[in-house]
Amino acid sequence: MRNNNYKFVQKEVIAQQPPPLSQAGVTGWLWKNLFSSMSNFSSISAALQSIIMIILTFVLLYFCGGQLYSLIDFALISAVWSDPEVLKRGSCTTVDQGGSLPSGWSGACWPFIFAKKKLLIYGRYPAEELWRVNLVYLTLFLGIGYTLFEGAKGRQWTGLAMLTIFPLFALILLTGANFNISWSTNLLLLGLSILFIFFGELTRRNFLGNIISELTSLFYICGVTLFLIFIAALLLSIDYGLSYVETSDWGGLLVTLVVAITGIVASLPLGIILALGRRSNMPIARTISTIFIEFWRGIPLITVLFASSVLLPLFLPDGVDFNKLLRALIGVMLFSAAYMAEVVRGGLQAMPRGQFEGASAVGLSYFQSMRLIILPQALTHVIPGIVNTFIGLFKDTTLVLIIGLFDLLGQAQSTIADAYWSSPAQAPTAYLTVGIMFFVFCFGMSRYSMFMERKLSRGHK
Amino acid sequence: MTKEEEKEIDQSKMTISEEVVIKVEQMNKWFGHFHVLRDINLTVNKGERIVICGPSGSGKSTLIRCINRLEEHQKGLIEVNGVELNDDVKKIDKIRSEVGMVFQSFNLFPHLSALENCSLAPIWVRKMPKKEADDLAMKYLEIVKIPEQALKYPGQLSGGQQQRVAIARALCMEPKIMLFDEPTSALDPEMIKEVLDTMIDLAQGGMTMLVVTHEMGFARKVANRVIFMDEGQIVEQNNPNDFFNNPQSDRTKLFLSQILDH
Ligand SMILES: Nc1ncnc2c1ncn2[C@@H]1O[C@H](COP(=O)(O)OP(=O)(O)OP(=O)(O)O)[C@@H](O)[C@H]1O
Ligand SMILES: [Mg+2]
């Protein structure tokens, strides 16, 4: 018999020991990565190789270092930081150009950005209502920060609130709500949702035959979603005493974040549904998903945006006014969902058949095994692809410029046209600023995804 | 006790009742044009321990996978616990929760700890509170003798330990029938014994078991019936004694001579 005395079982994994000193720290790193490949003079060929490596290293250092230095010089050292006398363009131009700086000067003109910061961050949002945007920004960053912070208490609930309540909250604050939603629309939504839930209940009790009973969850999901939309519609039609702000007055970072976050948040669930649909055994679901995905992947985002702003209104009945931003949002959402679907499908494809069988063998239903077994693993495997799509989407938001929405880049471009600040440094400074802001967001996403990957793969690699 | 020592078997604990739990009648299955299973007839009573053997590709796996409908059969009838297997998804999920299955390649969920692997189905299928499900999982991990590994992930366990977690996972649904598809063929010899011992314990607990295996020692000791399959048919079935000492068909003799030689 085996004995049950596990006194000697090691409970913890022994912690890793630090490497020997010659391998550790800056010296170790430098040695291993830089010098070890170019300090071998033991034979003629090795010596030749080392010499070539040394020359190449210096050439590269010279060029990269030069570039890096000119960038730092432009952005920090030679840059103009303040404009105490409110000279505007005069503060950033040389004597030859009519300013006060020595001729030959070149550097960033930061006072210009400081003067335009409201435009870059809020667009033409009315100045006295800026607190609304600030409140949204604050909740957004606090909420995301808290949700992503490992070990925070109740972070999954915060995350859920960020996905459900926050968008509504942001919408109400940013627009001012008080929408004119007719009672018939509300009743229609409520009626439909009750109908779906009723169907769900019927199929759950097997009143409609066996085959339809697979659709139970679908009915419930549709019903609950419609009900939530109904609640949202009710909340949006209340007058909160906030003045209405047209979306055409939104701009800069605000538009970038609204478009990007909507696209990101919507694309993952939609993408998962589409990916599951494309792999499902039900011919209808498969065909619809495939057509949808291939359609949206087949056209460029610019075309989608153009179509949404130029083509779509032609098909809408007269008098139906469909907000330009909303149309762009829907276009971006569907477009990114199609891409996401293929990324997720890649992950599903890589799952071994045994996982599906193991899940069914213990009695999990299709939806349960997808949610609990397959998707957690498949999504973990494709985190790099998912984040890639997110980052791509974030940067693609700049395309909304062509349908007349002013995102960060568009807004920056519009500020360049300001003649009061016209100087050779104006455009480079504006683009540098936009570049830095985009980099911060994209790099942040990238780092967080790396952290997630490490965390999730800890258990089972 | 030494490792080589054989596990005691108390035949009196392994009683077979009259109740029929699996009924397969004139069952046929095709993979495309390939006729994998031909006219299978099989009745299993509660408490039986059946070992299925046969050459590779003879359809053993396919047969037991049909019993919990991991594969669909095209003709004939399969009844498990009195419920006929057909397209009704809900019935199938119910049958699957009453029939445990252990795979050759374990098929544990790598993103969940051993304990979570076991408590998952009780929580989601049997709607058990988490605390209760954890206790249940722990109980079965103790039965398969690896409670100390409960918090490890499958990737951190040896093959034998993984297979025992897989057995515990199946047991957690408190199934009436257990299906084993070559549970020891992916294991090193020294791990085979620990898994077989677990299965012997299970048999002594009165579990109905269908085991595809090439472990003839196990068949001799534990089985009450050995089934030989070839080319998708049940060629011969008998009690282990007669099956091994007095095989009827030539194909069985050939097969036995091949596997018992070495
Ligand atoms: N999904 C499938 N599609 C097509 N043919 C299959 C499929 N699964 C199994 N087969 C074929 O069916 C036959 C029986 O397979 P099965 O896995 O049941 O054999 P087995 O008796 O379990 O063999 P082994 O001892 O090697 O596991 C084999 O010839 C195999 O190639
Ligand atoms: Mg097999």
Side-chain angles (χ1 to χ4, degrees):
Chain A
M1 289 294 306
R2 285 173 61 98
N3 64 11
N4 275 350
N5 179 359
Y6 345 107
K7 232 180 278 170
F8 302 112
V9 170
Q10 178 147 12
K11 295 255 166 55
E12 295 101 90
V13 180
I14 298 177
Q16 288 194 3
Q17 305 288 311
L21 266 183
S22 63
Q23 306 273 307
V26 181
T27 23
W29 186 89
L30 281 177
W31 178 257
K32 210 169 89 208
N33 293 288
L34 282 180
F35 300 121
S36 62
S37 65
M38 45 175 143
S39 59
N40 183 356
F41 295 98
S42 55
S43 69
I44 294 186
S45 70
L48 223 70
Q49 223 173 20
S50 293
I51 291 169
I52 292 176
M53 290 298 277
I54 291 172
I55 295 173
L56 277 179
T57 308
F58 276 105
V59 170
L60 274 177
L61 273 182
Y62 177 75
F63 281 111
C64 296
Q67 292 299 317
L68 198 65
Y69 179 76
S70 12
L71 181 65
I72 292 174
D73 180 49
F74 177 85
L76 303 173
I77 302 174
S78 303
V80 175
W81 288 95
S82 61
D83 179 21
E85 291 144 66
V86 203
L87 298 172
K88 296 200 172 174
R89 74 175 293 261
S91 67
C92 295
T93 39
T94 60
V95 190
D96 321 331
Q97 294 154 348
S100 53
L101 294 161
S103 69
W105 170 88
S106 145
C109 181
W110 295 119
F112 161 62
I113 299 298
F114 298 148
K116 299 291 180 190
K117 69 169 188 281
K118 194 227 138 208
L119 265 182
L120 289 179
I121 299 179
Y122 309 96
R124 288 187 290 126
Y125 210 90
E128 63 282 7
E129 304 290 339
L130 284 190
W131 63 270
R132 281 154 58 175
V133 188
N134 283 334
L135 190 56
V136 170
Y137 279 156
L138 187 73
T139 350
L140 176 71
F141 290 121
L142 283 184
I144 291 184
Y146 193 80
T147 312
L148 301 189
F149 184 61
E150 207 188 356
K153 236 184 254 160
R155 55 193 283 238
Q156 63 272 58
W157 298 116
T158 321
L160 194 66
M162 288 307 288
L163 287 179
T164 50
I165 304 174
F166 175 74
L168 199 60
F169 169 76
L171 190 59
I172 291 172
L173 265 185
L174 292 178
T175 59
N178 199 6
F179 287 129
N180 230 335
I181 299 169
S182 67
W183 277 109
S184 56
T185 318
N186 276 338
L187 279 182
L188 187 71
L189 281 171
L190 184 64
L192 277 178
S193 86
I194 291 176
L195 197 69
F196 269 113
I197 292 178
F198 178 68
F199 266 122
E201 195 56 34
L202 277 188
T203 51
R204 196 172 65 81
R205 302 197 177 163
N206 253 344
F207 278 154
L208 297 180
N210 288 332
I211 296 167
I212 300 189
S213 75
E214 288 176 47
L215 300 177
T216 310
S217 315
L218 203 66
F219 282 139
Y220 276 120
I221 293 172
C222 288
V224 171
T225 314
L226 281 172
F227 188 72
L228 291 178
I229 296 178
F230 164 72
I231 301 264
L234 274 190
L235 287 173
L236 284 174
S237 52
I238 295 175
D239 182 3
Y240 296 92
L242 298 167
S243 65
Y244 180 63
V245 180
E246 294 261 5
T247 51
S248 54
D249 285 344
W250 303 10
L253 188 62
L254 179 59
V255 163
T256 297
L257 286 182
V258 166
V259 177
I261 292 180
T262 318
I264 285 174
V265 168
S267 68
L268 195 57
L270 280 177
I272 291 175
I273 293 173
L274 285 170
L276 291 179
R278 194 166 183 176
R279 281 177 52 91
S280 108
N281 296 327
M282 287 188 265
I284 302 175
R286 198 169 52 226
T287 318
I288 292 178
S289 311
T290 310
I291 291 177
F292 182 95
I293 293 171
E294 294 306 332
F295 173 77
W296 288 101
R297 283 206 311 168
I299 43 179
L301 183 55
I302 293 203
T303 317
V304 176
L305 293 174
F306 264 133
S308 77
S309 75
V310 182
L311 224 51
L312 194 65
L314 298 181
F315 298 113
L316 289 175
D318 269 350
V320 176
D321 165 43
F322 216 150
N323 185 297
K324 188 157 56 169
L325 180 64
L326 185 60
R327 282 187 312 221
L329 280 181
I330 294 176
V332 167
M333 239 154 62
L334 299 180
F335 185 81
S336 50
Y339 274 85
M340 192 54 77
E342 289 299 280
V343 173
V344 174
R345 193 166 69 92
L348 293 175
Q349 218 94 297
M351 290 298 295
R353 202 168 134 213
Q355 290 295 306
F356 294 89
E357 293 179 350
S360 341
V362 289
L364 295 177
S365 69
Y366 172 81
F367 284 103
Q368 284 173 335
S369 57
M370 284 302 150
R371 189 157 66 85
L372 301 166
I373 308 299
I374 306 300
L375 283 175
Q377 295 183 63
L379 292 182
T380 311
H381 289 152
V382 293
I383 286 180
I386 292 177
V387 176
N388 215 8
T389 315
F390 282 172
I391 291 177
L393 174 63
F394 194 90
K395 294 189 288 193
D396 281 349
T397 56
T398 49
L399 290 176
V400 297
L401 177 64
I402 58 140
I403 56 166
L405 292 170
F406 286 92
D407 77 315
L408 193 49
L409 181 64
Q411 203 63 257
Q413 232 159 10
S414 77
T415 61
I416 296 173
D418 185 352
Y420 290 113
W421 283 96
S422 139
S423 80
Q426 189 185 22
T429 311
Y431 288 128
L432 183 65
T433 312
V434 173
I436 291 173
M437 286 169 89
F438 270 100
F439 183 79
V440 167
F441 281 102
C442 295
F443 188 64
M445 283 194 261
S446 162
R447 293 305 301 191
Y448 189 74
S449 86
M450 280 150 90
F451 162 75
M452 282 288 284
E453 264 175 75
R454 267 200 309 277
K455 193 183 115 189
L456 291 174
S457 65
R458 206 177 285 156
H460 52 97
K461 275 288 145 68
Chain B
M1 261 188 171
T2 59
K3 207 173 137 201
E4 280 72 36
E5 217 160 324
E6 291 292 311
K7 202 161 177 95
E8 297 287 327
I9 297 198
D10 184 354
Q11 291 290 344
S12 69
K13 281 193 192 159
M14 305 195 287
T15 50
I16 298 171
S17 83
E18 290 294 298
E19 189 187 332
V20 174
V21 286
I22 300 175
K23 192 163 87 183
V24 180
E25 271 173 13
Q26 289 298 330
M27 191 264 280
N28 281 271
K29 166 156 188 67
W30 286 263
F31 280 125
H33 291 292
F34 178 52
H35 201 167
V36 212
L37 295 176
R38 302 156 188 262
D39 296 334
I40 303 285
N41 288 298
L42 178 69
T43 307
V44 181
N45 287 4
K46 193 169 186 299
E48 277 201 277
R49 289 94 39 209
I50 297 180
V51 163
I52 303 172
C53 60
S56 181
S58 54
K60 310 176 296 286
S61 303
T62 311
L63 172 60
I64 69 166
R65 289 158 59 84
C66 280
I67 291 172
N68 69 350
R69 212 176 172 81
L70 285 180
E71 302 287 358
E72 228 171 278
H73 62 282
Q74 277 88 35
K75 227 175 98 186
L77 167 123
I78 303 181
E79 254 184 42
V80 179
N81 286 330
V83 181
E84 189 188 337
L85 295 186
N86 53 24
D87 283 331
D88 187 344
V89 182
K90 285 204 186 102
K91 263 192 216 162
I92 290 167
D93 283 341
K94 180 155 188 309
I95 295 283
R96 283 175 178 162
S97 68
E98 292 169 0
V99 179
M101 173 125 187
V102 176
F103 301 86
Q104 178 174 2
S105 49
F106 325 137
N107 295 350
L108 289 176
F109 309 131
H111 63 304
L112 301 177
S113 69
L115 186 76
E116 289 165 334
N117 262 280
C118 295
S119 61
L120 185 83
I123 291 174
W124 292 96
V125 182
R126 293 173 64 187
K127 314 281 177 216
M128 208 180 250
K130 185 173 179 317
K131 180 83 189 41
E132 221 174 288
D134 281 349
D135 291 345
L136 183 80
M138 215 52 211
K139 175 179 136 195
Y140 282 106
L141 284 173
E142 259 157 47
I143 287 180
V144 300
K145 305 206 172 64
I146 38 171
E148 74 277 9
Q149 312 287 359
L151 298 182
K152 285 199 185 162
Y153 286 89
Q156 300 166 321
L157 299 174
S158 76
Q161 292 169 334
Q162 288 190 50
Q163 192 60 298
R164 284 186 283 160
V165 173
I167 295 176
R169 176 178 77 180
L171 290 177
C172 273
M173 290 301 288
E174 311 200 309
K176 301 197 178 77
I177 304 162
M178 285 284 283
L179 308 174
F180 293 84
D181 189 3
E182 309 203 27
T184 57
S185 5
L187 299 178
D188 291 338
E190 66 265 35
M191 295 171 189
I192 292 182
K193 186 171 178 300
E194 59 190 43
V195 170
L196 289 182
D197 283 353
T198 310
M199 290 166 64
I200 292 173
D201 287 342
L202 212 56
Q204 304 229 310
M207 178 66 76
T208 313
M209 293 163 61
L210 260 75
V211 186
V212 175
T213 186
H214 293 117
E215 295 294 330
M216 290 305 145
F218 176 80
R220 276 214 171 87
K221 271 189 299 183
V222 182
N224 67 300
R225 181 150 51 125
V226 181
I227 292 179
F228 175 69
M229 285 187 71
D230 194 14
E231 295 181 350
Q233 283 171 314
I234 295 185
V235 176
E236 185 167 346
Q237 45 180 319
N238 217 332
N239 62 54
N241 211 1
D242 291 337
F243 181 84
F244 289 110
N245 301 331
N246 186 17
Q248 303 296 309
S249 99
D250 291 341
R251 275 190 282 179
T252 319
K253 285 176 196 158
L254 182 67
F255 177 73
L256 286 177
S257 71
Q258 276 166 351
I259 62 162
L260 296 179
D261 269 354
H262 38 87

